[in-house]
Amino acid sequence: MHFHRPQTLEDALACIAEHPARILAGGTDVFPSLGRSAVGEPVLDLGRIEALRGISCRDGVWRIGAMTTWAQIAKSDLPAQFDGLRGAARDVGSIQIQNAGTIAGNLCNASPAADGVPPLLSLDADVELSGRAGTRILPLRDFITGVRKVALEPGEIVSAILVPDRAGTRASFLKLGARRYLVISIAMVAVALDLDAGGAISRAAVAVGSCSAVAARLGSLEVKLVGCAPDAAALSDLLGDEPFAELSPIDDVRASASYRREAVRELVFRAIVAAAKGGA
């Protein structure tokens, strides 16, 4: 086995262009997926590339380096629009996994239950992809194309996640599982809201994970929420007959499809109320 540990993104891109390899970020998904099998291909470890770490804001865009860990995100002093993402960061696996697992690794693993995807979808995040020919930007909604499938071209590496800066946006994240930690979710919901001067919803983004092959935004519900008061009475009426047509939940060992739909209804209700109150 060949194990490469470059110290710059340029060296990493040169390496993968010459020798196609499995990309290793935190390793929290790669190694469990091997089971008892040995690694049978070259590995490119991004762990020494400091340029791929850290969070910054410039020209109205937040940049989260691909190798930024969930622990770093959870502890970062970020504005309220990131409350949902920080909530997801605290729910990823265990403390040990949060210390090693990275935001780009979570996206590239492309699990329907990836905790980071719904909050980033609700924030209209883009994915920055770097290759020897240059850099391209792809909306997150187009980056994950199916179960364990992403739109990376040969020789490309995810270098950052980009999020538009939205002062005043409030956000929340809720996850339902059989227990509090170390669990694959039954359903999860991320919400990002803007409120008008009267306290009504002026913009809403609602994303759901674990209820379709790829986490999905609830576009029809988002339209209905505009102008709605984020309180129990108004939301109960609005959500009561919402079909959630964008979702395609399945029956599996964790829950039935019908249970997932009802769980989403309750989670959306709670997440909107939480976001409106300014809580993650």
Side-chain angles (χ1 to χ4, degrees), residues 132-145:
R132 297 195 79 179
T135 299
R136 65 188 179 108
I137 308 297
L138 199 63
L140 176 58
R141 65 179 180 272
D142 297 328
F143 176 69
I144 302 176
T145 59

Side-chain angles (χ1 to χ4, degrees), residues 8-30:
T8 67
L9 178 59
E10 292 73 19
D11 287 346
L13 294 174
C15 181
I16 199 172
E18 297 171 9
H19 309 285
R22 175 176 292 201
I23 304 296
L24 180 67
T28 59
D29 288 315
V30 169

Side-chain angles (χ1 to χ4, degrees), residues 105-153:
N106 191 251
L107 301 188
C108 291
N109 189 48
S111 165
D115 293 319
V117 178
L120 288 170
L121 279 177
S122 73
L123 295 173
D124 296 319
D126 292 328
V127 182
E128 180 186 272
L129 307 171
S130 295
R132 297 195 79 179
T135 299
R136 65 188 179 108
I137 308 297
L138 199 63
L140 176 58
R141 65 179 180 272
D142 297 328
F143 176 69
I144 302 176
T145 59
V147 178
R148 312 293 185 187
K149 297 179 180 179
V150 295
L152 274 171
E153 298 290 342

Side-chain angles (χ1 to χ4, degrees), residues 55-63 162-165:
I55 304 172
S56 60
C57 186
R58 182 177 180 182
D59 298 329
V61 177
W62 286 92
R63 178 186 178 88
L162 308 175
V163 176
D165 182 31

Side-chain angles (χ1 to χ4, degrees), residues 19-279:
H19 309 285
R22 175 176 292 201
I23 304 296
L24 180 67
T28 59
D29 288 315
V30 169
F31 290 117
S33 70
L34 293 173
R36 296 187 177 183
S37 302
V39 179
E41 59 188 319
V43 173
L44 179 64
D45 180 7
L46 304 180
R48 290 184 174 176
I49 305 177
E50 289 302 315
L52 295 181
R53 300 184 186 276
I55 304 172
S56 60
C57 186
R58 182 177 180 182
D59 298 329
V61 177
W62 286 92
R63 178 186 178 88
I64 306 175
M67 291 293 291
T68 304
T69 67
W70 289 114
Q72 290 169 331
I73 291 170
K75 297 173 183 177
S76 293
D77 183 18
L78 292 166
Q81 74 176 96
F82 289 98
D83 282 352
L85 184 63
R86 287 189 296 193
R90 293 190 291 267
D91 281 348
V92 173
S94 63
I95 295 297
Q96 294 90 336
I97 290 173
Q98 293 166 22
N99 285 335
T102 65
I103 188 169
N106 191 251
L107 301 188
C108 291
N109 189 48
S111 165
D115 293 319
V117 178
L120 288 170
L121 279 177
S122 73
L123 295 173
D124 296 319
D126 292 328
V127 182
E128 180 186 272
L129 307 171
S130 295
R132 297 195 79 179
T135 299
R136 65 188 179 108
I137 308 297
L138 199 63
L140 176 58
R141 65 179 180 272
D142 297 328
F143 176 69
I144 302 176
T145 59
V147 178
R148 312 293 185 187
K149 297 179 180 179
V150 295
L152 274 171
E153 298 290 342
E156 282 186 331
I157 292 172
V158 174
S159 47
I161 313 302
L162 308 175
V163 176
D165 182 31
R166 288 185 174 138
T169 293
R170 309 166 181 218
S172 65
F173 173 82
L174 291 175
K175 174 177 176 176
L176 174 65
R179 57 182 182 269
R180 183 68 179 86
Y181 293 108
L182 290 171
V183 63
I184 297 174
S185 63
I186 293 170
M188 52 186 161
V189 169
V191 167
L193 300 177
D194 291 341
L195 305 181
D196 63 23
I201 297 170
S202 59
R203 189 188 71 87
V206 182
V208 176
S210 288
C211 291
S212 47
V214 178
R217 285 273 294 265
L218 303 184
S220 59
L221 175 62
E222 293 172 359
V223 173
K224 295 177 185 177
L225 284 169
V226 174
C228 178
D231 58 43
L235 292 174
S236 294
D237 290 341
L238 190 148
L239 293 170
D241 58 357
E242 175 61 37
F244 302 120
E246 296 88 348
L247 305 181
S248 53
I250 61 171
D251 298 326
D252 63 13
V253 296
R254 285 179 288 279
S256 66
S258 60
Y259 179 82
R260 281 189 161 94
R261 284 193 181 275
E262 288 308 307
V264 166
R265 196 178 311 279
E266 180 64 22
L267 290 173
V268 169
F269 173 86
R270 295 185 187 186
I272 291 172
V273 171
K277 291 181 178 178

